[in-house]
Amino acid sequence: VRALGMDVGLWVEPEAVSPASRLYAEHPEWAYRVEGRPATLVREQLLLDLGRSDVQDFVIGTLDRLLTRHRIDYLKWDMNRPPTERGRPDAGPAGDLDLDAAHVAGYLRVLDHLRTRHPHVTVEGCAGGGGRIEHATLARTDVVWPSDNTAPLDRLATQFGYLHAHAPHTMSSWVTDAPGVFDTRPRSLAFRFVLAAAGVLGIGADIRRWSAEERTEAAAWVARYKEIRTVVHHGTARLLGSPDRATCGVQFDEADGPRTVVAAWNTGRLDGAPLMPGRPDRLRLRGLDPAARYLDAATGTLYSGAHLRHSGLPLSWSAGHDAELVVLTRQ
């Protein structure tokens, strides 16, 4: 992997345990259980009681060994196995225990250890999609996973909601194969790349099945993303419109620079027909200097800030063009 110029990542789920494992055979009391009730298997797994200090120590020791013995740069901590029987053996009635709070405190203790002991490792927080996106986790991780639903139009709505509360540099967003599992409405490869470029872009598709043309297009989008990534991650993000409208977007303004990046999507008719026949759709940008001039180097068009704020950035959609990434440079 490193010979290809890539880093190594590991996907872990340290809270889940198989009933057939040696760990469970040696420590059955470490799994949540209510006396007198059968255990419920989810994904052929039970859930470890992370509120116990000995379970926390076991998880810390396991992760320390993995991250010390191997050159792992990226750790994706997932939690796909939800709590069911919320009891602790020999600890009294389950209703008298605050196991949820104890579990979260243990989870945060492990994350604090990871940050202190392995500061070079990028940590992604993930749990059944967005089940653990809150400030305590964000303070201890680098990125989080907003949703397991990566269908393009559904994902657009999810990311719009996410950006109302959290910063783009924490939003992991993958280009996956479309149509999606939950939403079969087709959208282009460009749509999916521009969508992922509004956060921390990754690729979760089976690129072996992509055509040579698709791989070439993907390489171009990755290169474009790297050019504007610092603006997206460290600039000011402004939401334009909403996914309920035919055209929506996100505007990113460079913190200490001249660039404004606009990620725009057509969410309307698949034939790309505008609301007004013969006219492009427009996104009214926000926060620009009305007296300044902004150059779109890709087209050579020079706009005034007043025009972009009041008339809007024109976007000509078509059946084969449903997304755009526009870079404007203040002159």
Side-chain angles (χ1 to χ4, degrees):
V1 170
R2 294 186 182 280
L4 296 172
M6 302 171 69
D7 293 333
V8 176
L10 186 67
W11 194 328
V12 297
E13 194 162 356
E15 292 153 285
V17 60
S18 167
S21 66
R22 187 182 72 182
L23 175 65
Y24 185 72
E26 294 176 352
H27 297 284
E29 74 282 5
W30 282 9
Y32 286 117
R33 185 173 77 250
V34 175
E35 297 293 348
R37 295 186 185 179
T40 302
L41 288 180
V42 179
R43 298 164 63 96
E44 302 299 320
Q45 296 170 323
L46 300 174
L47 190 67
L48 290 177
D49 182 352
L50 203 55
R52 297 177 55 125
S53 60
D54 47 4
V55 174
Q56 297 163 27
D57 292 341
F58 169 79
V59 172
I60 287 172
T62 300
L63 294 177
D64 277 346
R65 286 193 298 275
L66 286 170
L67 298 176
T68 301
R69 295 177 181 176
H70 308 283
R71 292 178 57 196
I72 296 170
D73 304 282
Y74 195 103
L75 192 72
K76 181 182 178 75
W77 180 329
D78 208 343
M79 182 189 178
N80 285 304
R81 203 285 185 205
T84 48
E85 289 72 42
R86 304 292 272 127
R88 181 177 292 167
D90 302 322
D96 296 339
L97 305 174
D98 194 351
L99 298 179
D100 288 335
H103 191 104
V104 171
Y107 165 68
L108 296 179
R109 179 197 167 201
V110 177
L111 285 181
D112 284 335
H113 176 87
L114 286 176
R115 297 283 68 174
T116 302
R117 181 75 181 274
H118 308 281
H120 68 285
V121 178
T122 298
V123 178
E124 176 179 328
C126 178
R132 275 183 173 165
I133 294 175
E134 30 66 39
H135 289 161
T137 295
L138 283 169
R140 295 164 171 84
T141 57
D142 298 287
V143 292
V144 290
W145 182 243
S147 175
D148 286 348
N149 185 355
T150 58
L153 290 170
D154 282 348
R155 185 66 174 209
L156 177 61
T158 297
Q159 294 191 181
F160 244 71
Y162 183 97
L163 292 175
H164 273 84
H166 306 300
H169 74 273
T170 67
M171 184 176 71
S172 181
S173 184
W174 291 2
V175 176
T176 59
D177 292 318
V181 175
F182 304 105
D183 182 354
T184 58
R185 292 172 291 178
R187 277 300 186 267
S188 70
L189 186 63
F191 189 104
R192 288 177 277 152
F193 265 101
V194 175
L195 188 58
V200 180
L201 185 149
I203 298 176
D206 186 352
I207 62 175
R208 298 172 302 172
R209 298 184 179 182
W210 286 2
S211 66
E213 292 77 12
E214 288 173 321
R215 290 195 295 271
T216 299
E217 181 183 353
W221 281 116
V222 170
R224 288 191 67 187
Y225 174 68
K226 290 180 178 180
E227 292 173 355
I228 54 92
R229 179 169 48 191
T230 57
V231 182
V232 172
H233 289 188
H234 303 297
T236 299
R238 293 178 168 91
L239 300 177
L240 308 174
S242 78
D244 296 330
R245 301 181 184 179
T247 297
C248 67
V250 184
Q251 172 185 336
F252 305 95
D253 296 305
E254 196 164 20
D256 297 307
R259 292 182 295 171
T260 290
V261 176
V262 180
W265 303 274
N266 168 32
T267 64
R269 293 170 50 176
L270 289 177
D271 61 5
L275 296 179
M276 294 292 291
R279 297 184 183 180
D281 281 350
R282 292 179 177 272
L283 280 179
R284 292 180 178 178
L285 306 191
R286 298 164 50 199
L288 301 183
D289 182 353
R293 296 291 184 269
Y294 295 84
L295 176 65
D296 179 355
T299 64
T301 307
L302 189 65
Y303 300 98
S304 70
H307 178 89
L308 292 171
R309 290 177 58 171
H310 299 290
S311 180
L313 178 70
L315 297 157
S316 297
W317 304 127
S318 67
H321 181 65
D322 56 9
E324 186 56 82
L325 194 64
V326 179
V327 181
L328 303 167
T329 305
R330 179 174 172 167
Q331 303 300 291

